[in-house]
Every structure is written in C-alpha cells, then in structure tokens.
Amino acid sequence: MSSATDQRNVGVGLNHGGATVKGFVQKACSPDRPLNDSLEGELQAFLTNEDQLHTYDDLTKVNPVTPTTVLKCLQARYSVKVFYTNAGCTLVALNPFQPIPDLYSLDVMKEYHCAPQPQESKPHIFIVAEEAYRNVQGQVEPVNQSLVVSGESGAGKTWTSRCLMKYYATVAASSSVVKSQGTVERIEKRVLDSNPIMEAFGNACTLRNNNSSRFGKYIQLQLDRCQMLVGASVQTYLLEKTRVACQLANERNFHIFYQMMKGATEEQKKEWMMPQGQHFAWLPNVEKTIEEDCFQETVEAMVHLGIDTERQRQIFRILAGILQLGNVNFCSSADESHLCNLEEQSKESMQRAAELLLVPAVELQSCLTVRMLKAGKQSVLKPCSQAECSVRRDCLAKTIYAQLFEWLVTFINNSICADQSTWCNFIGVLDVYGFECFQINNLEQLCINYANEKLQQHFVAHYLRAQQEEYVSEGLEWSFVKYQDNQRCLDLLEGSPISVFSLLNEESRLNRASDAQTFRIRLEKELCDNANISWDKFSKEPHFTVAHYAGKVNYQIQGMVEKNKDPVPPELIGLLQKADNPLLQQIFADKESDNSPTKGLSKVTVVSKFKNSLESLMKILHNTTPHYTRCIKPNPDCKPLTFKKEEVIMQLEACGIVETIHISAAGFPIRIPFKSFIQRYGLIRPKYSKLNSGTPSVDAEADSVDASQEVEELLRMVLQYQTFEKQSSLVHCGRTKVFLTQLMLDLLEGQRGKILSQCAFSIQCCWLRFQRRRRHVRQQSATLIQAAVRSWLVRKQVKRWNRAASVIQSTWRKWTAALKSLAEAELDDAKDMVEEEEIPPLNPVIRERGSVQLSSIPEPVTVRGWPMGLALASAPSITVSLTATGFQKMMSVMASLNLPSRKGEYKVETNQYTQGVASIRAQPKGSVKLHCQRSPLLYADRKPGKKTEVTGFNEILLEKTL
C-alpha cells in the first residue's frame, strides 16, 4: 500500500455516506430518517438475505447501520469461522477460544506483507500491523505508531499482542542486509522470549480468562533507519501484587508458581524445599491445568535473555520462599503486650522461608510480630496483633514479588533494548487489562477500569469527536452522530479539585486509621453533584457505584485506603537488605520505606503513581499514529465457537463500535493538508512537479487560497476521465485539508503510481544507456591496455628466448668441438709403428671398400675388436682363424664385420681390456696392439642393432646414429 495512507489523521475505511461540499465536489446531505417504521422496514429488508451477511468484510457497507445489523453480520461471519471484520477505522476481532490452523502462519504473514494493497485483502490483524509498518516507512508525521488492543478480560488481547510482536519480529528482521543473520535471529528471539517471562510472572487464571494480564504493558519495537527491528523496550503499569497473598474463589495465583509445582524436577523441588504432596495456602486450584503451565518454556526464555543458571536458582528460591510464607500463621495472644506466637504447623514453614530467603529465622519472625514506632528521636517496639502479623506477612510477600517483577522488567529491557543512537522510530503495542466487574471490586479494579476509561476517551477524542468537529471547521455541512462521551466519568475519578482519587489520596495521607463508613460519607458529601456516582444506603458493606462507559461497577470501600497507602514497614526492608541472597540485596539496595516519616504528606500513593504512569502513556499515544483493534468476547464461558448475542451487543455498545461505523460510513476517513497533498500528488500535472521540492510559503492565507485552487484543478483533471456515478461522494476540499474516501485515495495513488513508473522507466533507460556507454569506453580502454601489455610481454619473452638460444648454441658448439677433439685424441693417441719394409700398393678393390690389405702378412691375423669397433672388409684371399670368446662380444664383432662365414678361418679375440687397443689406421706389422680407453662420447656404451649393415673397412660407427 502506498505511503499516502501515512498522511491520514484517522485510520482507513470504505465510506459512501454524505455531507454537503463546496466547489466542484459536492456531497448531498444525508436526510434524517423520517419515521421509525421506515427504519424497521430497511432493517427487515436487509436481514432477509441472511445467507450473504458473512460477506460484509467491512461493517460500513451495512445499510442501515444499527446494533442489530452489526450484530447479525458479526454472528454470520463467526459462524463460518471468520473472526476479523473491519469497522471503518477500527478492526473488530472475535475470540474463537480455540487454535485456528494456518491463520497466523509465516505464509500468511508474507502474503499480507508483500500485498500491494493490504486493505483490499481479507480483514486480519496483520493488515493493521502492515499499515503501521508502512506508515513508518513513509516517514510522514507522526511517524511513530501505536497499536492499541482493547477489550474485556478474555477477549483475546494478549494473544493479539503476541501475533503483532511475532509479525514485526518476522517482517522487520527477514530482509536485513546490514546485520548478520545470527544477530537478527538473536534480536528476534529475545524480543519474542520476553513474552513468556512477562506472562508467567504477570498473568493469572481468573474467573473470566485463563490467561488474564494482571498488569498493563506497552512494548516499543525499535526500528532503525532501514525499518529493521533492532531492539525493544517494555513499560509496565500497576502489577496486581495483592494476588500473591489473596486469590478469589475459583481463581489462581500467578502462573509461575504453578509452573514450578508441575514442571520442576525432583532435584529442583528438593532444593526449593517443596516436598511431594505439600499444600500451599497461596496456591489454590492446583489441580486445574491450563496451556500456560509450561515451566520449560519459561526457563528457556530466561536462558535466551541471558539469565544464567545461578541467577535462576536465586529467583526460584525467592519464589519458593514466598510460597512458604503463605503457610505461616500466627496465634492470637491473650495480652496485647505479648508477642503473637507461631502455630505449631507453621514453625517448619517459617524455618524454610528463612532458609530460602537466606535471612535469619529469628529476625524474620521478629519483623513479622513486632513493629517499631518512632517518637521523636526514640524508637519504640510494640507487639503486633494477630491481624497485624498477617498483614505484615502479606506485605512482605507482595513487596518481594513486586520488586522481583520490576527487576525482571529492567533486566529484559537491558537485554533487548537497543542503544538510543541505533534506532529512530518505534511501533508500540499496548496490551492492558480489560474492563473488569467482579462480585467484589476494590482498588485494583478501580485503577484498571480508570485506565480503560482513559483509553476510551482517547478513542472518542481521536476518532469520533475530533473527526466531526473537524468536518464543521473545514466547511462540511455535517449532521452530528451521537456517541457516548465518558468525560464526566473521568472528571469523577481524576478531576480537580475534588474527585474520587483526590479524596482517596487525602484520606491515605492522614496519619490515622481509616474508617470505611466515614470515607463513604465524605465521598457522598463531596461528589453528590456528579451523576456517575451513586450509593446504596441500605447495604451493610460501605461501597460506591460508578457508571462507567461499559456499565456500572460497585467498589468496596473497606481496605481501599490501606491498599492505596501500600505501607512497607522499614524493618522488613532492612531485613531484606541484609539477606545473603545476592538478588534480594540487589533489588532492595538503597530502597527506602514508603512510610518514611520524612516524607510526610508528600508520600506517593498507589493511585498517584498509577495516574502519573498512565498520563505518560497517554502522552505517548497522543504523539503517535494510533491503530485500534477491538477484541470482542463472544461468550462469558470461553467456549469454542459459541456466540452469545447479549454478551456481544453489550460490548459493541460499550466501546462505541456502532457510532464509529456511523461516522466512518458517512464521512471521509482520510484527511490530508493542502501542502502535503500537492507535494505528494502534484506530480500528476507537470507544472506542479516543482512544488515537490517543498519550498516554504510566505503568506499563509494567500498560500492556502492558491493551494485550494491548485488542489481543485488537480482533482478535476483526475476525475474528468472517471465514470463514477457520484463523483461528489469521493472527495471534499475543505479550508485547509482535502477529505478523501478510500476509493478516491486508491484512484490518486493509481495515477501517481503510473507517473512514477514512467519516470522510473525514463530514469532506468538513461541510467542503462549511461552504463552501456561507460562500459563500452571501459572495454576499449581495457583492450588497449591489454594489447600493450601483451605486446610488451611477447617482446620480453622473445628476447629471453633469443638469449637462451644463443647460450644453448654456444654451449652446444663448445660441447661438440670438445667431443670431436676427444674422439680424435682417442684414435690418434698411439704412435704409428715404423715400417720395416715397404708396403705394397693397395688393391683397387680393397681401396674402394676402404679396407686394409693384409695379403703380405703370412700368418693369420689376430683381430681384436673394439666394442662398437672397427669393421673389417671381406678378405677372401686371407685366411684368418676366428676364436670367439664371450657370447655378447662375439655377436658384437660378427655384426660389425661383413665376412664370409668360414668356420675356423678367422680368429677374433675381444680381450682388448687386457692387452690394449692400438690404431689400425696404418698397416699393422705382426700383431696389432690396440690401446683402449672408455669413450666419453654419447654412444660409447650403446650396442649396434642386429639389422645394421656395416661396410667399409676402418669405418667408425661412432659417427653414425643408430
């Protein structure tokens, strides 16, 4: 949904009613209904088609709008398991009292979060959450949002608050790209884990609700500039600590005590001194089991929030000590000057309580049975009566529990709260106790109902009275819708100078024992002019009756003044400060007693403290954009899918739903100032695009007139192409604001979206063209650089190759020359023998074959072969005897000599290693001595192939590559 909805001052609803409008946009005035029978006729006509009633997802579409038609529509939707319905600017939620599968799943969250127009989807609590989230994204004042969940006890407020927190923890953390996923999951987990702890220590099972919040809380979900969840903080209001020591019939204490009893291990119970089967006076209805009795879930939440094992042991020991205090009873003393003694069965409980709280048992008993009075500078000890001892015992338990709860809230805030510099906006979720009316109502119910009166006044002032008054001030001819204003009731409770609270505080500050009958007489005397208070003079118990917006409630006066004083004896505080339990020392460190004599008349009472905290809450609500969700309880017995008409109609009338529907259906729920309207929608016309820069105005009146003309011209241009039957019912131009229906807003957003799409397309085209050009230039530059680098590298490599080739060639030449010289030295190292006789000329045939003529030698010639040796040509005229010694050498010689195979004609001896080798280049005389050295040549040790044909005498096979 577009962020234009952020500029609304009241919520969103589909509206079709009328008021007269000036200028080109006219709305017909709604005529008054002529007769009651006409209304009855319309009512009957509307209700005849009951099969279609469940299709009305917005009650502003109901015609006529009466409590009967609204009730019938809600009943029809409830029967088909549809539990959310829009009521103009409010969402109505019916409690099904049973789990509904897939109604709050992650897929449903993503569906509403990703929807272009969530308001067009089926009504759901996620629509309210998403609208608030998009308002923060739009950053239109007031940016901060408040989700007010109201309704009676048992209507489903706590569950709705859970769903809202789960939605934001999922949506506002799933797309985070700044933080690591582990950090996001840690924040989400800690924010959600605050719920089980707060509910375990602050909720209880009452007559009307199994999980009733016995305190109010306002949870601020902190968002950074990217609208991501970075932390949260919790503010609490008026914990009902009296429930620790006093529970009504069929009600229970706080959940945490029952979780300890049912979920702890035997070892833990032994440590807490809670033996099997022990009965605790402050733990009634232990046999009743509810869904919230989940001890492990609470412990896991503590671990995730950073409460270590040792601190958990201290917490549970304190809670176990409180339970043991409940079993401590006193015997009345016959003489007021004597101390009250413990009952026999209470002595063990007293000892256990002292051990669990880590205080001396004697001092604990003394603090409960003796009070210290100050007379000037002297202190006097006075024994307490049995009733006073019980009151001091209850006061000790309530004080410890209240301070422990306050410490838990502080610890949770320290664990989940982000640094002030890391977040800039917040979405607040308000979950307060619902309106209560029991058989016996005291100060707690008075404060709770007072808080509901303040929230109802905020709703009335924000949506009903302010909206209608603004219509008149902006020039709309408006027929006022009557609604119930609770200002007189608030004046009765908190007015100045005389009110119920002021008289109660005055009575509490007097240093005397209060008398209920006397206080009732004073209330009657001072407040008799207010019609919202009354008395039953024939009642035995003094009380007064207040007419709240939701009905009349009788308040018992007895004990109200003492509860308002909330005295805590200083000796009890001193005892707890000296306890060996580190947690008790921490939460009671530097804590002064509330009845310190130095405070005198300036003592802060319970009512004053609660009123101040509630005023700070209302200030937050007034500075944020509120979103109201009205939870309705379908039946008083909390039965699944059971709809009681009487129960629902009372709630509808009490919270003003019908009046809200009337005003939303007949009026304009969306109101935008001219300047903001032009800044947002001026781009629809090109000549107004310059106005989007937000230039400041000089003359306010002239600027308002010009802006009004510009707005009318802009609206005329938008509407001229539309074919609505009544265009005048869509928009109205007031004196300073534009009043729109949801249909007109969607039309403007559609036009604006088209222009923004065109602009975005043009920007994308220019950007892509720029990107391509820049990429092309970079490619050309890269190509030139790469070519230059490659050419330089090639030249460098070629030069290196040339230098290497020169070195190799030079080295090769030197090496071959060295080998050649070595070979020549090998062959020429023997001196030629001096011929004793002249050698005859060679035969031409032998000369051609390169052989040596041996015919002049009469004796057979002994040829001693060289391994790769010398080849002798065939000499058929010479008879040489061959004696082969050594198989391999014989084969080597035979392969080297091309001689006819004549057995016994040749003699070859290969013992050159023993006799030496001499050169046979000259004609030998007698036996030829060959001098042999190991050849340094590459082929010196290689054997010739078998197929090699060697011809020519004196051929050196070393120079031939085999």
Side-chain angles (χ1 to χ4, degrees):
M1 187 174 69
S2 173
S3 58
T5 55
D6 307 337
Q7 304 180 28
R8 312 172 199 178
N9 295 329
V10 262
V12 177
L14 299 175
N15 307 276
H16 308 284
T20 58
V21 189
K22 71 170 187 176
F24 78 98
V25 186
Q26 295 286 332
K27 291 190 72 175
C29 181
S30 300
D32 295 331
R33 300 191 181 279
L35 297 172
N36 289 335
D37 55 357
S38 176
L39 177 61
E40 289 294 332
E42 293 182 7
L43 183 62
Q44 293 297 328
F46 176 78
L47 295 178
T48 53
N49 193 8
E50 293 190 6
D51 295 339
Q52 301 297 321
L53 292 181
H54 68 277
T55 62
Y56 288 89
D57 55 0
D58 196 314
L59 297 177
T60 58
K61 300 177 182 179
V62 175
N63 189 20
V65 178
T66 65
T68 304
T69 55
V70 171
L71 180 66
K72 283 289 185 180
C73 288
L74 291 177
Q75 184 178 11
R77 293 175 66 81
Y78 194 75
S79 63
V80 295
K81 298 184 178 181
V82 179
F83 308 107
Y84 291 104
T85 306
N86 290 325
C89 53
T90 308
L91 179 69
V92 177
L94 293 168
N95 193 344
F97 293 113
Q98 70 175 21
I100 306 299
D102 301 328
L103 186 59
Y104 306 99
S105 63
L106 293 178
D107 293 335
V108 177
M109 292 182 188
K110 293 178 181 179
E111 177 183 350
Y112 282 99
H113 180 58
C114 300
Q117 296 288 338
Q119 290 291 342
E120 298 178 359
S121 305
K122 295 179 181 180
H124 201 286
I125 187 61
F126 292 157
I127 292 182
V128 179
E130 181 61 24
E131 182 181 356
Y133 187 65
R134 297 192 184 190
N135 286 354
V136 176
Q137 289 180 320
Q139 292 291 302
V140 178
E141 296 294 337
V143 179
N144 297 325
Q145 311 289 307
S146 289
L147 306 179
V148 182
V149 183
S150 59
E152 290 197 10
S153 180
K157 301 184 300 299
T158 300
W159 175 258
T160 302
S161 300
R162 283 189 204 170
C163 294
L164 291 171
M165 291 184 63
K166 179 63 177 177
Y167 182 84
Y168 288 123
T170 302
V171 169
S174 60
S175 58
S176 178
V177 295
V178 179
K179 297 181 178 294
S180 64
Q181 188 64 24
T183 304
V184 172
E185 291 177 355
R186 180 181 60 82
I187 295 172
E188 173 189 353
K189 185 66 175 173
R190 289 198 172 189
V191 170
L192 294 181
D193 279 335
S194 64
N195 262 339
I197 299 178
M198 300 290 287
E199 291 182 14
F201 284 83
N203 290 18
C205 179
T206 65
L207 294 174
R208 307 193 65 184
N209 186 7
N210 286 344
N211 190 30
S212 177
S213 298
R214 308 320 302 161
F215 72 106
K217 63 176 179 289
Y218 184 72
I219 304 174
Q220 285 187 344
L221 303 175
Q222 300 161 347
L223 307 176
D224 61 9
R225 297 186 182 276
C226 300
Q227 288 76 51
M228 294 295 113
L229 182 66
V230 295
S233 65
V234 182
Q235 302 177 24
T236 59
Y237 308 95
L238 190 66
L239 175 69
E240 190 189 28
K241 60 182 180 180
T242 56
R243 183 169 292 271
V244 175
C246 180
Q247 304 84 32
L248 298 179
N250 297 323
E251 291 194 350
R252 301 202 317 174
N253 209 323
F254 291 102
H255 291 325
I256 186 63
F257 295 111
Y258 298 90
Q259 292 179 0
M260 292 172 59
M261 287 289 293
K262 298 179 181 181
T265 62
E266 292 299 328
E267 183 179 353
Q268 288 174 324
K269 290 182 179 180
K270 184 178 179 181
E271 180 185 359
W272 303 335
M273 302 181 184
M274 299 169 61
Q276 189 71 24
Q278 183 181 10
H279 173 74
F280 294 99
W282 288 348
L283 241 62
N285 301 313
V286 182
E287 68 282 354
K288 184 176 182 179
T289 301
I290 59 177
E291 183 182 353
E292 284 69 26
D293 292 339
C294 186
F295 181 67
Q296 291 303 321
E297 182 180 355
T298 303
V299 173
E300 290 176 3
M302 287 182 173
V303 174
H304 292 153
L305 286 174
I307 302 178
D308 56 27
T309 305
E310 180 60 28
R311 187 65 79 185
Q312 291 179 31
R313 290 182 64 254
Q314 298 169 7
I315 292 173
F316 292 130
R317 287 180 65 89
I318 292 173
L319 295 175
I322 291 175
L323 289 180
Q324 294 293 346
L325 281 176
N327 288 350
V328 174
N329 295 311
F330 300 90
C331 299
S332 60
S333 60
D335 190 355
E336 292 184 357
S337 61
H338 289 79
L339 297 176
C340 292
N341 296 321
L342 291 174
E343 293 182 355
E344 191 63 31
Q345 59 271 24
S346 299
K347 293 182 179 180
E348 186 178 0
S349 297
M350 174 66 78
Q351 184 66 31
R352 290 177 179 176
E355 292 181 14
L356 289 169
L357 298 176
L358 296 180
V359 296
V362 177
E363 292 187 20
L364 176 60
Q365 183 175 347
S366 175
C367 290
L368 296 180
T369 56
V370 180
R371 59 175 176 165
M372 183 173 55
L373 302 177
K374 287 191 175 182
K377 296 183 179 179
Q378 295 182 351
S379 298
V380 180
L381 298 178
K382 181 181 179 181
C384 298
S385 63
Q386 182 184 12
E388 289 175 341
C389 290
S390 299
V391 170
R392 293 169 75 87
R393 176 203 61 196
D394 296 349
C395 178
L396 176 63
K398 292 186 294 185
T399 302
I400 294 175
Y401 192 85
Q403 292 300 315
L404 178 61
F405 182 80
E406 185 177 334
W407 177 87
L408 275 173
V409 173
T410 303
F411 188 92
I412 290 173
N413 283 334
N414 293 336
S415 177
I416 66 177
C417 188
D419 188 76
Q420 183 65 36
S421 60
T422 61
W423 65 276
C424 53
N425 300 116
F426 67 85
I427 298 177
V429 180
L430 179 62
D431 177 19
V432 295
Y433 11 60
F435 187 86
E436 292 185 349
C437 179
F438 300 123
Q439 196 169 12
I440 299 177
N441 303 284
N442 211 290
L443 182 65
E444 293 83 9
Q445 282 68 43
L446 180 62
C447 292
I448 288 172
N449 293 339
Y450 164 65
N452 281 273
E453 289 282 356
K454 293 289 287 186
L455 292 176
Q456 177 67 13
Q457 185 206 34
H458 178 265
F459 175 76
V460 168
H462 191 81
Y463 284 123
L464 304 182
R465 181 173 64 242
Q467 188 169 357
Q468 296 194 95
E469 290 176 354
E470 189 171 19
Y471 288 160
V472 175
S473 65
E474 290 290 332
L476 281 80
E477 295 184 11
W478 179 259
S479 178
F480 276 85
V481 176
K482 294 182 180 180
Y483 56 87
Q484 182 181 3
D485 193 351
N486 63 339
Q487 186 59 48
R488 287 180 61 84
C489 183
L490 286 172
D491 292 339
L492 169 69
L493 297 177
E494 64 172 4
S496 179
I498 302 298
S499 64
V500 173
F501 287 165
S502 64
L503 295 175
L504 185 59
N505 287 334
E506 183 179 339
E507 184 71 19
S508 301
R509 287 168 180 156
L510 296 177
N511 191 15
R512 69 182 184 188
S514 61
D515 180 68
Q517 189 65 32
T518 304
F519 184 58
R520 191 198 71 81
I521 294 174
R522 190 176 183 198
L523 286 175
E524 185 176 0
K525 178 182 177 181
E526 299 289 348
L527 303 173
C528 59
D529 296 335
N530 196 305
N532 287 75
I533 190 171
S534 59
W535 298 267
D536 183 3
K537 298 181 180 180
F538 301 100
S539 176
K540 295 181 180 180
E541 295 290 338
H543 72 277
F544 61 93
T545 303
V546 177
H548 292 282
Y549 75 95
K552 293 184 178 181
V553 181
N554 297 326
Y555 296 101
Q556 180 178 318
I557 299 178
Q558 187 67 41
M560 183 175 289
V561 176
E562 289 299 321
K563 287 186 176 181
N564 190 41
K565 291 180 181 179
D566 193 22
V568 181
E571 51 267 27
L572 293 181
I573 299 298
L575 175 67
L576 296 174
Q577 289 176 342
K578 295 185 297 183
D580 292 333
N581 189 313
L583 182 57
L584 280 179
Q585 290 182 357
Q586 179 180 349
I587 62 181
F588 284 98
D590 302 327
K591 181 176 177 58
E592 297 180 0
S593 174
D594 288 340
N595 62 346
S596 175
T598 58
K599 293 188 177 181
L601 296 179
S602 64
K603 175 188 174 184
V604 178
T605 62
V606 171
V607 167
S608 300
K609 191 183 301 182
F610 181 69
K611 184 180 176 182
N612 292 335
S613 63
L614 196 58
E615 287 178 355
S616 65
L617 171 64
M618 299 310 298
K619 187 180 297 184
I620 294 175
L621 294 181
H622 283 297
N623 293 330
T624 57
T625 301
H627 305 265
Y628 270 88
T629 300
R630 294 288 190 180
C631 297
I632 303 295
K633 189 176 182 179
N635 64 86
D637 302 322
C638 301
K639 293 182 178 179
L641 300 177
T642 302
F643 193 92
K644 297 290 186 181
K645 296 181 181 179
E646 298 79 7
E647 181 81 10
V648 175
I649 197 68
M650 288 175 56
Q651 298 175 62
L652 293 177
E653 292 176 349
C655 61
I657 290 293
V658 178
E659 292 85 353
T660 304
I661 299 170
H662 267 299
I663 296 176
S664 297
F668 302 90
I670 304 163
R671 297 168 291 176
I672 307 176
F674 286 155
K675 183 177 180 181
S676 299
F677 184 86
I678 293 174
Q679 284 180 342
R680 183 166 185 83
Y681 301 108
L683 55 85
I684 296 178
R685 294 190 62 188
K687 75 175 189 176
Y688 288 121
S689 59
K690 62 181 180 180
L691 297 175
N692 295 333
S693 60
T695 55
S697 59
V698 180
D699 189 351
E701 294 183 0
D703 185 63
S704 177
V705 174
D706 294 340
S708 177
Q709 295 176 355
E710 294 169 357
V711 169
E712 290 185 7
E713 186 177 355
L714 178 60
L715 291 172
R716 188 180 294 109
M717 186 194 70
V718 173
L719 292 171
Q720 65 182 349
Y721 299 109
Q722 305 302 322
T723 58
F724 298 112
E725 295 181 1
K726 293 183 179 180
Q727 296 182 357
S728 60
S729 64
L730 300 178
V731 62
H732 170 76
C733 291
R735 293 188 177 94
T736 61
K737 296 180 180 180
V738 182
F739 293 80
L740 306 169
T741 61
Q742 181 65 36
L743 189 60
M744 187 64 194
L745 179 70
D746 294 339
L747 180 61
L748 287 169
E749 286 296 313
Q751 294 288 336
R752 182 174 181 271
K754 290 180 181 178
I755 294 177
L756 289 178
S757 297
Q758 294 174 358
C759 295
F761 181 74
S762 300
I763 293 173
Q764 288 174 353
C765 290
C766 295
W767 176 250
L768 291 175
R769 183 168 58 250
F770 168 74
Q771 291 269 41
R772 279 195 293 268
R773 289 178 177 176
R774 186 172 64 175
R775 186 163 52 248
H776 180 67
V777 171
R778 288 181 176 180
Q779 287 177 348
Q780 288 182 333
S781 302
T783 302
L784 292 175
I785 294 173
Q786 291 172 358
V789 170
R790 281 196 296 268
S791 62
W792 177 78
L793 290 174
V794 169
R795 287 195 299 270
K796 184 178 179 182
Q797 186 67 24
V798 169
K799 291 180 179 179
R800 184 179 178 186
W801 287 346
N802 289 337
R803 288 195 301 270
S806 301
V807 173
I808 292 171
Q809 290 174 357
S810 175
T811 305
W812 175 256
R813 293 191 192 98
K814 293 179 180 178
W815 185 68
T816 53
L819 291 182
K820 186 175 181 180
S821 62
L822 288 175
E824 291 177 354
E826 289 178 1
L827 299 177
D828 296 334
D829 59 348
K831 297 181 179 180
D832 293 338
M833 300 179 66
V834 180
E835 298 182 1
E836 295 180 358
E837 58 182 44
E838 184 178 355
I839 301 174
L842 295 175
N843 190 309
V845 177
I846 298 176
R847 190 190 302 270
E848 290 179 3
R849 298 181 178 178
S851 304
V852 179
Q853 186 175 2
L854 302 178
S855 58
S856 61
I857 302 175
E859 299 178 359
V861 178
T862 301
V863 179
R864 295 182 178 88
W866 206 18
M868 294 296 293
L870 304 174
L872 296 179
S874 59
S877 60
I878 300 175
T879 301
V880 181
S881 61
L882 177 60
T883 303
T885 60
F887 177 75
Q888 292 181 355
K889 295 180 180 180
M890 178 192 71
M891 294 301 296
S892 175
V893 173
M894 291 298 295
S896 301
L897 301 178
N898 187 11
L899 300 176
S901 180
R902 297 178 182 177
K903 185 176 181 180
E905 292 184 358
Y906 299 96
K907 179 181 179 182
V908 177
E909 294 181 1
T910 57
N911 53 353
Q912 67 270 21
Y913 290 104
T914 58
Q915 298 182 9
V917 177
S919 174
I920 59 172
R921 186 173 296 177
Q923 182 177 358
K925 183 177 180 181
S927 297
V928 179
K929 186 179 291 187
L930 300 176
H931 299 279
C932 178
Q933 293 182 357
R934 187 171 181 83
S935 176
L937 301 181
L938 177 63
Y939 304 105
D941 296 326
R942 294 186 63 175
K943 298 179 176 62
K946 296 180 180 181
K947 297 182 179 181
T948 304
E949 295 182 0
V950 180
T951 59
F953 182 73
N954 208 22
E955 173 112 357
I956 300 177
L957 298 179
L958 295 175
E959 296 178 358
K960 184 176 181 180
T961 302
L962 299 178

